[in-house]
DNA sequence: TCTTTATGGTGAG
DNA sequence: TCACCCTAAAGAT
């Protein structure tokens, strides 16, 4: 289940496995038969990610994939399983294969159409150097609670429901703060922390935002599930930093978690 | 064997 | 704001 770090990790793995190879493609489920046929036998030039979007480039044709909430795109190099009947797309280079299921988007587009997708997105901290200015500008235009605005992919690309709560905690910002009332320091912290956390998540392959000193642990591997994050899904439990009881609020049609002791404003 | 849940997003009203 | 889409695994019965 993907936020930006998961998608970038997928793109890297798929690029390493499949770029430069002639791929076989099929759609066991049948809903992407025409697209799969168009890719079948073609050489993959590259796979890359922007925010939560994946792009597989075959000459001028681009396979655009968005996993949504439930999509998966695991790859295998041995013990390759049979695709399930729900598998939308299988790509294979003969020795490795990847099985796409449950995507929100899976379509073949032109390079221009792919560029239009990324143009509509805000800066991706994993990709956009100097994106802080665009991020700050977009925040300044919004009166909505910052917790809602952080989920808007046209403001910043790649943040999801875990990171929005954790990043606001790490910056000590109350989730209901109107985005256009954030200080320059707040904005700087949000952008920097988003980048730091996404890069860490990309490296670890999971979202662990905790600073080890706050839970008295030496290694991230030692952490229990409950200790990996400060607030996400921790309502009713004491804050790892100040002991206040973590709270949950619906912000932007989804649950956000926050600490009333550490996040004031 | 059910029901629920999930780190997402769209389109209608 | 709501209904709705997609799938798989975990939890409840």
């Amino acid at each position: 289940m993907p936020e930006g770090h998961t998608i970038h990790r997928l793109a890297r793995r798929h690029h390493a496995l499949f770029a430069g190879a002639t791929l076989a493609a099929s759609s066991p489920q049948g809903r992407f038969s025409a697209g799969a046929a168009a890719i079948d036998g073609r050489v993959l030039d590259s796979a890359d990610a922007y925010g939560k979007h994946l792009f597989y480039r075959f000459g001028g044709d681009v396979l655009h994939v968005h996993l949504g909430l439930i999509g998966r795109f695991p790859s295998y190099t041995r013990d390759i399983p049979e695709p399930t009947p729900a598998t939308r797309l299988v790509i294979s280079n003969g020795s490795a294969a990847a099985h796409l299921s449950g995507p929100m988007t899976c379509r073949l587009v032109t390079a221009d159409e792919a560029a239009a997708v990324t143009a509509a997105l805000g800066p991706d901290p994993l990709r956009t150097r100097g994106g802080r200015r665009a991020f700050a500008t977009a925040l300044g235009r919004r009166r909505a609670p910052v917790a809602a605005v952080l989920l808007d992919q046209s403001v910043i690309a790649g943040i999801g429901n875990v990171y929005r709560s954790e990043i606001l905690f790490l910056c000590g910002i109350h989730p209901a703060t109107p985005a256009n009332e954030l200080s320059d320091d707040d904005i700087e912290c949000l952008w920097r922390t988003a980048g730091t956390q996404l890069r860490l998540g990309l490296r670890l392959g999971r979202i662990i935002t905790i600073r080890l000193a706050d839970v008295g642990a030496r290694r991230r591997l030692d952490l229990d599930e409950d200790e990996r994050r400060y607030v996400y899904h921790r309502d009713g439990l004491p804050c790892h930093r100040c002991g206040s009881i973590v709270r949950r609020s619906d912000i932007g049609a989804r649950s956000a978690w926050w600490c009333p002791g550490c996040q004031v404003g």
Side-chain angles (χ1 to χ4, degrees), chain A residues 240-265:
Chain A
H240 288 309
R241 193 169 279 172
C242 80
S244 301
I245 299 302
V246 172
R247 297 181 60 179
R248 181 181 71 80
S249 308
D250 286 345
I251 302 179
R254 308 184 67 191
S255 291
W257 289 264
W258 53 286
C259 168
C262 296
Q263 296 167 261
V264 187

Side-chain angles (χ1 to χ4, degrees), chain A residues 3 5 125-126 132 135 150 156 158-159 162-173 185-202 207-211 230 241:
Chain A
E3 298 197 24
H5 67 299
L126 290 175
R132 191 188 63 83
F135 175 57
L150 285 178
I156 181 169
I159 301 299
V162 179
Y163 278 128
R164 74 154 168 173
S165 287
E166 295 295 312
I167 289 167
L168 286 168
F169 174 90
L170 288 167
C171 292
I173 298 170
D185 283 351
D186 286 340
I187 293 170
E188 165 66 20
C189 183
L190 288 172
W191 177 257
R192 182 166 30 80
T193 305
T196 304
Q197 290 299 326
L198 282 166
R199 282 189 293 274
L200 184 61
L202 175 59
I207 302 176
I208 299 179
T209 56
I210 208 85
R211 286 173 184 150
Y230 286 101
R241 193 169 279 172

Side-chain angles (χ1 to χ4, degrees), chain A residues 135-160:
Chain A
F135 175 57
T137 302
L139 285 174
R141 281 199 284 258
R142 305 299 220 66
R143 243 177 313 187
V146 58
V149 176
L150 285 178
L151 286 183
D152 185 333
Q153 302 297 300
S154 72
V155 172
I156 181 169
I159 301 299

Side-chain angles (χ1 to χ4, degrees), chain A residues 94-130:
Chain A
S95 61
H99 295 181
L100 173 66
S101 70
M104 190 177 70
T105 302
C106 174
R107 60 183 188 137
L108 214 51
V109 299
T110 65
D112 283 349
E113 289 168 328
V117 171
T118 56
L121 296 169
D124 175 351
L126 290 175
R127 260 188 93 142
T128 319
R129 215 180 280 274

